[in-house]
């Protein structure tokens, strides 16, 4: 009998299964075009988008008290005012935000090879989508990339008391799938949330998707495995199970 084989895989969403960063860049390019063609901005258009990108990266909000639409429209409003001066222009900020958002969602696609991988994996193990972030934002992405049918359960951090890397959200995932932490593998692109969370919860293994081949800081959490693409996962899972059966 093979002991303790992988029974479940937890997947992050953004920049693990879908190219959120790439989709966001395409959204920014559309806004730059709008500002240059309709409003005759020149290099200020790029400056505004750069400022918004910085604001997005520093975002911190409490789901119960904040509407993400208001937060992100304000990013655009502030960036425009910081760049152009003058009175706040809420109308233009809204136009930029909704163009960025709609373009971004159009490009959030679950690639065919990723769909095929999830379909094959689900024949062998249970699959959980475990994503941090604002409830509305993440649910819109899930809807846009139509990934619901590939998973046994979906957890959005903004709908829970705690997000990754808190162990509680991982234990909740285990409960939904009817597995133990030691049966599970966490796959994601962020060391501080996906990998640290998997380690905190005592999962069987953590897999870091390192697309750009960056060197982690010495202080960063150390994943059990590193791959450059999520498509390398099936072979890796087989090798993990082989190691288990040999040690058994």
């Amino acid at each position: 009998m093979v002991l303790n084989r992988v029974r479940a895989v937890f997947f992050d969403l953004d920049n693990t299964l879908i190219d959120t960063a790439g989709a966001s860049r395409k959204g920014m390019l559309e806004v730059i075009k709008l500002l240059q063609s309709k409003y005759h901005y020149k290099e200020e258009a790029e400056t505004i988008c750069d400022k918004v990108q910085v604001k997005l990266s520093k975002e911190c909000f409490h789901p119960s008290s904040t509407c993400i639409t208001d937060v992100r429209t304000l990013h655009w409003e502030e960036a425009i005012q910081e760049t152009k001066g003058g009175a706040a222009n809420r109308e233009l900020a809204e136009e930029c935000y909704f163009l960025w958002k709609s373009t971004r969602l159009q490009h959030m696609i679950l690639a065919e090879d990723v769909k095929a991988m999830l379909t094959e994996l689900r024949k062998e193990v249970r699959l959980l989508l475990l994503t941090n972030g604002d409830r509305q934002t993440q649910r819109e992405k899930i809807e846009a990339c139509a990934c619901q049918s590939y998973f046994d359960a979906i957890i959005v951090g903004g709908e829970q008391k705690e997000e990754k890397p808190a162990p509680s959200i991982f234990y909740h995932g285990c409960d939904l799938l009817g597995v133990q932490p030691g049966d599970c593998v966490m796959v994601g692109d962020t060391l501080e949330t996906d990998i640290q969370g998997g380690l905190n919860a005592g999962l069987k293994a953590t897999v870091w998707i390192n697309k750009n081949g960056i060197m982690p800081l010495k202080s960063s959490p150390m994943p059990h495995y590193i791959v450059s693409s999520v498509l390398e996962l099936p072979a890796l899972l087989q090798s993990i199970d082989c190691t288990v059966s040999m040690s058994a």
Side-chain angles (χ1 to χ4, degrees):
M1 177 182 159
V2 177
L3 300 173
N4 202 19
R5 291 187 74 144
V6 175
R7 293 184 59 209
V9 180
F10 295 3
F11 282 96
D12 172 52
L13 178 64
D14 294 301
N15 302 308
T16 295
L17 294 175
I18 59 172
D19 183 13
T20 306
S24 291
R25 281 193 297 273
K26 284 172 180 159
M28 291 295 184
L29 288 173
E30 288 303 310
V31 175
I32 289 169
K33 279 190 222 167
L34 170 82
L35 290 173
Q36 290 176 340
S37 62
K38 185 175 174 183
Y39 295 99
H40 309 296
Y41 286 21
K42 295 189 175 72
E43 61 278 356
E44 307 105 313
E46 289 188 31
T47 304
I48 289 165
C49 287
D50 288 344
K51 285 179 181 289
V52 170
Q53 196 60 55
V54 171
K55 293 173 192 294
L56 287 166
S57 70
K58 292 179 177 173
E59 231 169 38
C60 186
F61 53 86
H62 301 287
S64 57
S65 61
T66 315
C67 165
I68 195 69
T69 301
D70 291 342
V71 169
R72 291 188 167 169
T73 303
L74 187 60
H75 293 337
W76 287 98
E77 194 175 311
E78 288 173 349
I80 293 163
Q81 201 169 11
E82 287 162 14
T83 306
K84 295 288 284 180
N89 190 337
R90 182 77 177 185
E91 209 171 287
L92 178 57
E94 286 178 349
E95 189 177 2
C96 291
Y97 167 63
F98 286 111
L99 176 61
W100 170 78
K101 175 182 164 176
S102 62
T103 305
R104 189 168 96 123
L105 286 172
Q106 283 165 23
H107 288 94
M108 288 191 179
I109 296 159
L110 204 57
E112 290 304 319
D113 49 8
V114 174
K115 289 180 186 174
M117 178 197 72
L118 293 172
T119 302
E120 286 304 306
L121 280 179
R122 201 166 168 207
K123 294 173 184 174
E124 305 290 332
V125 296
R126 312 205 98 195
L127 301 184
L128 174 76
L129 185 64
L130 180 56
T131 175
N132 273 5
D134 169 71
R135 180 194 64 77
Q136 179 190 330
T137 304
Q138 297 310 100
R139 288 289 172 187
E140 285 172 347
K141 290 176 189 170
I142 289 163
E143 193 73 31
C145 73
C147 65
Q148 303 95 317
S149 62
Y150 295 92
F151 292 93
D152 295 288
I154 293 174
I155 299 176
V156 173
E159 297 172 353
Q160 305 298 316
K161 287 180 182 170
E162 298 180 295
E163 295 193 307
K164 297 177 288 186
S168 62
I169 199 167
F170 290 85
Y171 300 152
H172 179 46
C174 290
D175 291 343
L176 289 178
L177 298 188
V179 294
Q180 296 298 314
D183 300 328
C184 304
V185 174
M186 177 68 210
V187 182
D189 71 303
T190 308
L191 290 168
E192 296 74 21
T193 53
D194 301 317
I195 303 310
Q196 187 64 64
L199 296 171
N200 290 349
L203 299 197
K204 180 178 187 56
T206 53
V207 181
W208 182 38
I209 312 284
N210 183 9
K211 288 179 189 169
N212 303 317
I214 56 172
M215 283 295 293
L217 300 169
K218 283 187 177 166
S219 58
S220 295
M222 185 58 65
H224 296 88
Y225 303 96
I226 302 174
V227 294
S228 60
S229 163
V230 75
L231 297 172
E232 296 171 46
L233 189 66
L236 177 59
L237 290 175
Q238 279 193 325
S239 74
I240 294 172
D241 276 342
C242 282
T243 307
V244 169
S245 61
M246 285 167 69
S247 62

